[in-house]
Amino acid sequence: MKTDMVDLVNLVNLINDRFIEFTREQVFSKETDDFLGFAQQKFKLNSKNDWNEIIASEDILEDSNEALKSFLKFGLSGPTKYNDLGEKYLRLYGVLNAVYQQQQAILHIFKLFNCPNPKSIKQEFNNLSITQARHKLGAHSINYTIQGDSETEMFVPVRLQFDDYELTYFNPKNDESNNIDLKLTIEEHSKLICKTYLLIANKVIKTVYKGNISKQEQVLSGFNNLEKVMNGAWLVQGQNGDTIINIKFK
């Protein structure tokens, strides 16, 4: 047996891969001249083109996840022997926007599959400190506006305090500073991505197998195992990679 502690960023890929496998099996289960129409009917989508947008969003989610994996491995410095300030800025702005692109992708998938309470999920993402840092540093550094306030704020990263996973930024208008642990807040982001993707999977499986409770439970079991991993279980796989067992240590 092979035992791996799966981190949350890699878990995003596992959930994405399983979901892609399930949905592709559904749309390729029948040969038809109206492929997009069949996908629309199968998943109760609002329009035919929704399926193409789902595929594109899944690609963006996976691509941005590669950026997060690189950041968690190499930090702001990157895989370089040089202490290059420009590299650190590139990776800072890059990781902040990779997080945002990933959030937009999962929220779009959530919307296209007509999952309930999209505003609530979006608010959860907006409340993350990594999301707020993205808006304040990666998009609106000189014209950040708090909702309901006509005044704009400015935010600047503190260059002298650059660390691989620690970020300090301040508002020169009032000298207010913020410090965040980039590793920790990316983990929080990834956990919310996993949670949201599992909600999507639950909705889609129940849509496809409406009225067939036993089939729903059978297909959902694999996603339920991944949910246990999200909540701290170990992932144990056989040599062939097919068997997944989850063990929770207390």
Side-chain angles (χ1 to χ4, degrees), residues 30 34-48 207-208:
K30 178 181 178 181
D34 187 11
F35 173 78
L36 293 178
F38 179 66
Q40 179 186 9
Q41 181 274 329
K42 174 68 71 170
F43 300 120
K44 302 297 185 290
L45 305 176
N46 292 326
S47 71
K48 289 184 178 182
T207 296
V208 171

Side-chain angles (χ1 to χ4, degrees), residues 99-110:
V99 163
Y100 186 68
Q101 290 297 324
Q102 193 168 73
Q103 291 179 3
Q104 293 304 297
I106 197 70
L107 287 170
H108 199 53
I109 296 170
F110 193 90

Side-chain angles (χ1 to χ4, degrees), residues 72-130:
L72 291 177
K73 184 175 182 180
F74 298 109
L76 288 177
S77 298
T80 174
K81 63 181 179 179
Y82 303 106
N83 184 20
D84 187 89
L85 184 61
E87 173 75 13
K88 292 180 179 180
Y89 275 112
L90 279 172
R91 291 180 68 80
L92 173 61
Y93 295 136
V95 74
L96 292 177
N97 281 290
V99 163
Y100 186 68
Q101 290 297 324
Q102 193 168 73
Q103 291 179 3
Q104 293 304 297
I106 197 70
L107 287 170
H108 199 53
I109 296 170
F110 193 90
K111 175 184 176 182
L112 292 173
F113 279 118
N114 295 302
C115 297
N117 303 318
K119 290 183 179 179
S120 176
I121 294 295
K122 184 177 181 180
Q123 189 58 51
E124 286 190 60
F125 280 112
N126 287 339
N127 290 339
L128 294 176
S129 57
I130 193 70

Side-chain angles (χ1 to χ4, degrees), residues 1-7 10-11 14 18 222 225-230 232-238 241-249:
M1 299 293 285
K2 178 184 177 183
T3 304
D4 293 307
M5 185 61 181
V6 176
D7 63 56
N10 282 312
L11 184 59
L14 289 177
R18 184 175 288 270
N225 282 337
L226 294 176
E227 183 175 8
K228 293 175 186 176
V229 176
M230 181 186 75
W234 288 80
L235 180 67
V236 183
Q237 293 182 295
D242 293 336
T243 303
I244 299 180
I245 305 169
N246 295 276
I247 304 172
K248 182 75 172 181
F249 294 99

